[in-house]
Amino acid sequence: MTAGGPPTMDDGDDKGGLRAALSGLTTRGRSFLAAGVAAAICAYVLGQADLLRVGLLLAALPLVCVVMLVRTRYRVTGTRRLSPSRVPAGTEARVHLRMENVSRLPTGLLMLQDRVPYVLGPRPRFVLDRVEAGGRREVSYRVRSDLRGRYPLGPLQLRLSDPFGMCELTRSFSAYDTLVVIPRTEPLPPVRLAGEASGYGEGRQRSLALAGDDDVIPRGYRHGDDLRRVHWRSTARYGELMVRREEQPQRARCTVLLDTRRIAYQGTGPDSAFEWAVSGAASTLVHMLERGFAVRLLTDDGNAVPGEGEGGFAGSTQESADSAGLMMDTLAVVDHSDGGGLSRAYDVLRGGNEGLLIAFFGDLDEEQAAVAARMRQRSGGAVAFVLDSTAWVQGAAPPAGPDTAFDRRLRLLRESGWTAVTVTPGTGLAQYWQQAGHQGLTAHSAVGGTTGGTTGFSGGWS
């Protein structure tokens, strides 16, 4: 939930306000003013005193309305609340506006207008009746976007009008809010992929840190800790109460690699190959976080999100929600990179011990396919979803064959140990996810990867 500040609108009687009010004369006000001037000129030429009085009355009425509107001294505050402030593409969000009259005078007729980008829908407008002193009015409207991104809402505008409709004065608040439209996600089925992982995840393996007195990893005492866990030797050494850590959780790691190279994708729009890859990466992040993995998002230019903790992964389970929000915010605005290679992403992965690697690739030439093949050596397991952008532009998969360039790149990935899946338009990630699990287990069994009747991750993951 977000709220726009409480900006305050105070109509003053300075010269700037007077000039703004004069420029805000309506068609009725300008017509009265022009008619009054014309009547005054005719009265002077014809020598008609009665006509002159009529002309002065017609000209004075809009000017009096301007002065009264400028000298209005009521104060109005406005707040905005988004529910929710982060929505998937194609989902509606509701914007709640609340106006409050904090002055001692009642307001006149108020016309409320909020500025929204064109992609979110038409600009909402509301008419508020007289608001009593200390009173408030609440209105709401809905916004929806099929395109991911960050969209500013505001500033809020109030249009004041005099009782005769001679003049309209517009005042804008300074605060605005941001609606984040994240990529669409889809639930993924529980499958078993080939690779290795330890710690959290479906297996829930943990390494004990209390194998012996020398292996104790003490930490500071916290309120509620069992006094039987107090480690007196460390307490004497550090001069403060220390307790034993009976077990040290190790979270399984997963890196989601998104290829954003401009030359790797063709076509634009919500149904393009690049948007499918972004949506697939978002679905994978959510799925792996739900399984208890420490997840990070990596792009081809080497940027890792969330970037906290060792290796750019989230440091603890408590940070999973914040990390998920940060990665989704990144995917909401991710765009094509101008880089032509995957070398920067490979440099990030060279440290090893990266756990499971799940990649979404666009078109790969021979050089980039070789770089991707070397990435497999730095991970415990690797799954690649490879998009042939030519097929996405044509709307159907091209004829496959062992001699096509795309098939040769795919075979190179598989020979290097990747579980490579070809992605064609019209199919969701869930089906390819199951296909990846089947291919990975088949390949793992073919090389003797079956141990004790269980294939894949120790304990499995879903």
Side-chain angles (χ1 to χ4, degrees):
M1 180 180 66
T2 60
T8 301
M9 184 194 69
D10 188 4
D11 295 319
D13 56 351
D14 53 15
K15 296 181 179 180
L18 183 59
R19 288 193 297 268
L22 287 173
S23 64
L25 284 173
T26 62
T27 302
R28 180 184 300 177
R30 295 176 186 273
S31 299
F32 267 68
L33 184 61
V37 173
I41 294 177
C42 291
Y44 176 77
V45 173
L46 301 176
Q48 297 291 330
D50 294 337
L51 183 60
L52 178 61
R53 287 192 289 270
V54 172
L56 292 178
L57 178 61
L58 293 175
L61 182 58
L63 296 179
V64 171
C65 291
V66 167
V67 174
M68 291 182 61
L69 194 61
V70 170
R71 294 180 61 86
T72 302
R73 287 250 178 218
Y74 56 82
R75 295 170 60 87
V76 178
T77 62
T79 58
R80 181 190 298 106
R81 179 172 57 89
L82 306 182
S83 178
S85 61
R86 184 188 290 118
V87 295
T91 304
E92 290 185 346
R94 183 168 290 275
V95 183
H96 301 269
L97 303 176
R98 185 176 69 178
M99 307 302 301
E100 184 175 0
N101 182 14
V102 296
S103 65
R104 299 180 179 179
L105 299 175
T107 69
L109 189 67
L110 300 179
M111 286 172 284
L112 182 64
Q113 175 178 279
D114 204 7
R115 301 184 62 181
V116 300
Y118 176 77
V119 70
L120 296 182
R123 181 170 297 182
R125 295 180 175 89
F126 306 93
V127 177
L128 304 181
D129 294 333
R130 177 178 178 273
V131 182
E132 65 279 3
R136 65 180 60 178
R137 299 289 186 272
E138 294 186 4
V139 293
S140 65
Y141 64 93
R142 294 177 295 180
V143 291
R144 180 181 181 272
S145 174
D146 292 328
L147 301 176
R148 57 184 176 83
R150 294 173 60 91
Y151 300 101
L153 300 178
L156 194 63
Q157 293 181 335
L158 276 180
R159 181 174 296 177
L160 311 177
S161 178
D162 63 277
F164 300 101
M166 297 290 179
C167 179
E168 291 182 351
L169 190 62
T170 301
R171 288 288 185 266
S172 297
F173 296 88
S174 58
Y176 68 94
D177 293 279
T178 302
L179 176 68
V180 181
V181 180
I182 62 177
R184 293 185 179 94
T185 60
E186 60 177 303
L188 301 180
V191 297
R192 191 184 300 271
L193 300 182
E196 296 179 357
S198 62
Y200 288 161
E202 199 68 17
R204 294 289 197 268
Q205 296 183 0
R206 301 185 180 186
S207 62
L208 296 180
L210 200 58
D213 201 34
D214 294 335
D215 298 325
V216 171
I217 304 178
R219 62 169 175 81
Y221 175 83
R222 299 172 184 170
H223 180 71
D225 285 338
D226 191 349
L227 293 178
R228 291 175 295 181
R229 295 175 54 193
V230 173
H231 191 254
W232 298 108
R233 180 180 299 180
S234 299
T235 299
R237 178 180 179 183
Y238 293 104
E240 59 177 323
L241 203 59
M242 307 291 290
V243 295
R244 297 189 301 265
R245 291 184 182 180
E246 295 184 353
E247 56 184 17
Q248 181 67 25
Q250 292 183 347
R251 302 184 68 195
R253 291 182 170 186
C254 176
T255 298
V256 178
L257 173 61
L258 177 61
D259 181 10
T260 64
R261 295 173 300 130
R262 188 180 302 275
I263 62 175
Y265 299 94
Q266 300 180 28
T268 58
D271 298 328
S272 63
F274 180 68
E275 292 301 324
W276 191 100
V278 174
S279 179
S283 301
T284 303
L285 290 172
V286 173
H287 180 76
M288 300 307 292
L289 285 172
E290 291 176 350
R291 302 283 73 81
F293 279 70
V295 184
R296 71 173 173 181
L297 173 65
L298 180 65
T299 57
D300 58 287
D301 55 7
N303 293 328
V305 182
E308 303 173 357
E310 182 181 358
F313 295 89
S316 64
T317 55
Q318 287 78 8
E319 298 175 354
S320 295
D322 295 338
S323 301
L326 182 59
M327 289 184 286
M328 285 300 176
D329 289 346
T330 302
L331 289 177
V333 296
V334 69
D335 201 358
H336 290 291
S337 66
D338 295 328
L342 302 171
S343 57
R344 293 183 179 179
Y346 172 73
D347 292 338
V348 176
L349 297 172
R350 291 180 63 181
N353 191 25
E354 300 299 333
L356 180 63
L357 175 61
I358 302 178
F360 292 84
F361 291 123
D363 291 333
L364 298 173
D365 55 21
E366 184 175 355
E367 179 182 357
Q368 300 310 314
V371 175
R374 292 196 299 269
M375 292 180 183
R376 172 62 183 87
Q377 304 172 2
R378 304 296 180 179
S379 60
V383 180
F385 298 95
V386 186
L387 290 78
D388 187 358
S389 61
T390 303
W392 286 76
V393 173
Q394 296 175 353
D403 296 331
T404 62
F406 180 81
D407 197 73
R408 289 195 299 268
R409 309 292 186 265
L410 208 65
R411 187 168 60 250
L412 175 61
L413 294 179
R414 290 169 178 168
E415 291 175 351
S416 62
W418 283 86
T419 300
V421 179
T422 305
V423 176
T424 56
T427 306
L429 177 62
Q431 180 175 339
Y432 292 119
W433 193 260
Q434 291 180 329
Q435 181 181 346
H438 177 72
Q439 289 185 8
L441 293 181
T442 302
H444 191 64
S445 300
V447 296
T450 303
T451 303
T454 302
T455 308
F457 286 114
S458 176
W461 65 277
S462 59

